[in-house]
Amino acid sequence: MEGVPEDLLDKAREIIVNAYAPYSGFKVASAVRAGSGKVYMGVNVENSSYGLTICAERVAVFNAVASGEREIREVLVAVESDEPVPPCGACLQVLSEFSTPETTVYMVSLSTGKVVKARLGELLPRAFKFRGLGARRSQE
Ligand code: THU
């Protein structure tokens, strides 16, 4: 796939079979390159209590952070449906904690080969940042 980091794509292809999506049937895999250069993976994990479902991207980021990483440099999200999908709002916010607005997000369809590439700052232009209670006090 044109312009997509091959190693991230290979890892996503490898792991998407482990996606646990018995309710939606929509399997997602994510591979992220962290600050150390290592690649971490995730799949969506659904739950019979639907709202407890977690997306592939957050699993990948949390895997990286649990391994000691604190920076996410590149993100790939892969689906089997015809059209690529962007990370959901919750995942974008989680990504923003460890990335910069320049971080590249590759969205790919494994079945059609379609690729959409965007910067995190385009997908979530105004990420929430907690700046401490000082921010609130200054408005009082
Ligand atoms: N999902 C992801 O894993 N990542 C996305 O970017 C979009 C949505 C999952 C959550 C749920 O298991 C299924 O896709 C349908 O929403």
Side-chain angles (χ1 to χ4, degrees):
M1 262 176 240
E2 190 67 27
V4 179
E6 202 64 41
D7 56 341
L8 297 185
L9 188 58
D10 286 347
K11 297 277 189 194
R13 277 206 182 100
E14 189 181 305
I15 203 177
I16 200 164
V17 294
N18 296 335
Y20 179 72
Y23 304 105
S24 71
F26 191 71
K27 293 188 168 196
V28 186
S30 179
V32 299
R33 192 181 323 281
S36 71
K38 284 193 193 158
V39 175
Y40 297 84
M41 296 178 282
V43 294
N44 54 333
V45 181
E46 298 188 345
N47 191 273
S48 130
S49 176
Y50 293 1
L52 301 183
T53 292
I54 184 163
C55 298
E57 297 91 319
R58 267 175 289 160
V59 173
V61 171
F62 295 158
N63 254 331
V65 173
S67 297
E69 305 282 359
R70 291 293 183 270
E71 256 180 68
I72 301 295
R73 300 217 164 128
E74 286 183 299
V75 179
L76 178 136
V77 48
V79 293
E80 291 173 330
S81 59
D82 292 354
E83 296 296 328
V85 300
C88 78
C91 288
L92 291 172
Q93 178 65 33
V94 168
L95 284 166
S96 77
E97 184 78 22
F98 303 103
S99 307
T100 73
E102 305 309 318
T103 300
T104 307
V105 181
Y106 299 94
M107 297 153 263
V108 307
S109 158
L110 297 179
S111 55
T112 60
K114 285 189 190 169
V115 178
V116 178
K117 186 179 154 183
R119 289 179 306 102
L120 187 62
E122 295 175 66
L123 298 173
L124 186 68
R126 293 187 184 214
F128 173 71
K129 271 270 179 241
F130 181 60
R131 298 189 198 283
L133 296 177
R136 191 191 57 174
R137 279 199 207 102
S138 70
Q139 285 171 1
E140 282 171 1

